[in-house]
Structure formats: C-alpha cells, structure tokens
Amino acid sequence: MLVRQIYADNNLRNFHYLIACEETREAMVIDPLDVDRCLDAAKKDGFKITTILNTHDHWDHIGGNAEMKEKTGAEIFCHAGASKKIPDVDKGLVAGDIIQIGRQVKLNVMDTPGHTESHICLLSNEKTPSFFCGDTMFNAGVGHCKLGGNPDKLFKTFDEQINKLSDETKIYPGHDYMINNLQFTLDREPDNEDAKSFLKKLEKQSPHDAYVSTMKDERKINSFLRLSSASIINELKKSFPELGDNPNSKDVFLALRELRNHW
C-alpha cells in the first residue's frame, strides 16, 4: 500500500490522502477539497484515481467531489447514513465493509460517530496498520462535536474502538492541528514530558512534510487517551470541581472536550 499525505495549505489546514495499490497504481482519494493538489500528486506518482472516499459530510471534506468525479470518473463512497447529504454518492458504507483498491490494498470500514452522526474511519489490514480517521481523531487531539455531533458517542467511539488499536498503528487525520493540540495537552497536563519533547521537536515542522504519529505516541501525548492521568484530573477539577477525586473515564473525556471547545 502506498500512502501520500497532501496538505491543502488552506485556513482549515486540511489533509487529503491518496492510497494506492503499488502493483496496479489504482488509487483512492480521501476528502479531496483541493482537487488540483490531489491530481498533481497522483500524476507525479502515476496513480489512477478510481474512488473518492468522504469520511463525513462537512463541506471541507466533500467540496471537491464534483470536480474530482468529473476529471477522473471516480466513484464516490461515504457512510450510508450520510449518502443523502452528499451529492452523487455511488455507494454507502457500513461498519465491516471492505474497500479494495487494485489487487493489493484492503481497508476495513469503521463506523465512528461523534464528530458527526455518520462518520467513517478506515483501517488498513497490513502488518503495520494505518488509520485514516477524518475528523474523529487528530494528532494529540479529537474532533469537536459542535456541528451535529455528539460527545457521548465520540467517547464511545474512542472507548470501544480507537483505544483497541495497536501501538504500531499509524495515524492519518483530516487536519494538521498537532501543535495547537500539544499546547492544549500541556495546558491540561503541565508535567507531560513527552508532550514537551514533541512540541519542541515539531513546532517548526512544515505541514507539507508532517510527522506521522502512532498510537504509541498518541497514548503519551493525547489528553483524550490519558483519562486516568492524575495531573489531568487535578487540572480539570479547577474548572469542574464536581468531578471529585476519582472520576470515571467518560466524565474526564467529556470535561476535556468541553474545555477544548473554548480553548
């Protein structure tokens, strides 16, 4: 499997992805807002885009669909629940579906509500998995729930699915928010030496060559995966004294999500 991460260089800091079969050079593009950048990258590597995958229905993830479909003839795939919100969908997907690209690439569809009601993530079935997570999860953070989402469902997605991903899993999110998210981590957990180290190492990185984190990294630097941290809980109690000394994981997650909304 070949993966190309493409930075849109816009105000929302979108990432697009090309996932290609090394043998046939057939490719899928994920959330192609900046069509020209995606097509240029495909041309450079000799990829033929046959599939467009939308992780969810927000405009900055579907805005390039029509142009991409017109220029490539690719089919549009999305969550079955979002198929009426996204124009010209060819196939609605549900949890457990398999997307095949060329002869070699197979991606498992995961139903991951929270950021929106109908959101999918993709997990490759390679020895070292890749997780294409749209706006469900970011490097050192998670998606918001302000535009039709649900924080309780987002917690359930993390608790029942994302927390079970192996340490080796590579994380490919829909936006480049890592620096800001690391700063939030340190605001919540000032003694997190791993987050300090990552921030120092990456604060001047180019998003065109962004660091690809793993779940092992995320478990060290992502507050939303560190719900039992005493430092996080102590800091949260300053804003949410009702949490008490031994809050459950869901209450910590929801408190963090609420703070991040206004941070």
Side-chain angles (χ1 to χ4, degrees):
M1 183 177 78
L2 302 173
V3 178
R4 302 291 183 263
Q5 185 179 63
I6 303 163
Y7 180 59
D9 209 7
N10 60 12
N11 290 337
L12 293 176
R13 306 182 69 84
N14 289 77
F15 279 136
H16 314 315
Y17 296 94
L18 288 171
I19 305 171
C21 171
E22 190 169 4
E23 181 182 347
T24 68
R25 313 304 281 186
E26 293 173 83
M28 179 172 70
V29 62
I30 297 180
D31 296 337
L33 181 64
D34 193 324
V35 173
D36 287 342
R37 286 181 189 268
C38 294
L39 291 176
D40 287 347
K43 182 178 180 180
K44 178 180 177 182
D45 284 325
F47 296 163
K48 176 179 173 55
I49 296 173
T50 59
T51 306
I52 299 162
L53 186 284
N54 296 139
T55 57
H56 60 293
D57 60 36
H58 287 164
W59 72 268
D60 59 315
H61 293 258
I62 69 172
N65 280 9
E67 183 181 356
M68 181 64 75
K69 188 178 182 74
E70 178 184 357
K71 291 182 175 179
T72 66
E75 292 186 315
I76 299 174
F77 292 3
C78 73
H79 191 295
S83 59
K84 292 183 179 180
K85 297 180 180 181
I86 299 173
D88 300 320
V89 169
D90 295 288
K91 184 176 182 179
L93 302 168
V94 298
D97 282 348
I98 303 293
I99 299 175
Q100 181 156 346
I101 306 166
R103 295 189 184 97
Q104 298 176 331
V105 180
K106 292 184 178 180
L107 299 165
N108 302 303
V109 176
M110 298 168 61
D111 186 356
T112 54
H115 177 64
T116 61
E117 285 291 328
S118 300
H119 191 298
I120 56 176
C121 295
L122 302 177
L123 183 67
S124 73
N125 59 3
E126 298 176 298
K127 183 177 180 181
T128 301
S130 295
F131 185 51
F132 301 92
C133 42
D135 287 3
T136 293
M137 178 179 177
F138 299 124
N139 301 123
V142 305
H144 67 70
C145 304
K146 295 183 286 187
L147 300 174
N150 184 307
D152 293 89
K153 290 184 178 180
L154 187 62
F155 169 76
K156 186 176 181 180
T157 289
F158 271 75
D159 188 49
E160 297 182 357
Q161 297 187 71
I162 294 176
N163 283 337
K164 296 179 181 179
L165 297 177
S166 68
D167 277 352
E168 296 76 23
T169 304
K170 298 177 182 178
I171 306 302
Y172 292 104
H175 297 267
D176 173 44
Y177 295 156
M178 190 169 194
I179 300 306
N180 201 33
N181 285 337
L182 284 169
Q183 291 168 343
F184 177 77
T185 294
L186 288 170
D187 192 56
R188 297 295 89 216
E189 192 178 13
D191 58 352
N192 187 321
E193 296 301 325
D194 291 304
K196 291 178 185 178
S197 177
F198 269 87
L199 184 59
K200 183 177 180 180
K201 179 174 68 173
L202 300 177
E203 60 185 350
K204 294 183 180 179
Q205 75 167 355
S206 167
H208 293 286
D209 187 27
Y211 178 77
V212 177
S213 71
T214 65
M215 280 299 294
K216 184 176 182 179
D217 295 329
E218 295 296 326
R219 290 184 169 109
K220 295 176 181 177
I221 63 175
N222 191 325
S223 299
F224 295 87
L225 295 172
R226 298 177 55 76
L227 304 179
S228 62
S229 164
S231 294
I232 288 177
I233 292 169
N234 286 334
E235 287 296 318
L236 280 176
K237 288 192 316 185
K238 297 176 182 178
S239 300
F240 302 93
E242 66 276 12
L243 282 177
D245 292 330
N246 296 295
N248 62 46
S249 295
K250 182 177 181 179
D251 287 342
V252 175
F253 185 98
L254 296 179
L256 285 170
R257 183 58 272 172
E258 178 61 25
L259 280 180
R260 188 66 179 86
N261 286 340
H262 310 287
W263 188 87

